[in-house]
Amino acid sequence: MAVFTCEKCGKPVDTRCKPKKCPACGETGSMCKKEVTAPKKGKN
């Protein structure tokens, strides 16, 4: 999974594929991938 954020309104979308348009504002081509670091697995 990846988080894509709309450059126009800032709405984050958690999905596998890049959305063609923002589900909040409807802007097309405004979704950019935001890098998210996964929690590290290890012994506690």
Side-chain angles (χ1 to χ4, degrees):
M1 293 295 237
V3 176
F4 292 89
T5 305
C6 178
E7 293 177 335
K8 183 177 179 183
C9 72
K11 170 77 175 176
V13 180
D14 190 13
T15 183
R16 289 184 185 197
C17 300
K18 181 178 179 179
K20 292 184 179 183
K21 67 177 185 176
C22 176
C25 70
E27 185 75 16
T28 57
S30 65
M31 302 302 288
C32 63
K33 189 173 182 180
K34 184 176 181 182
E35 295 299 324
V36 176
T37 56
K40 293 182 180 180
K41 294 181 181 179
K43 295 179 181 178
N44 290 353

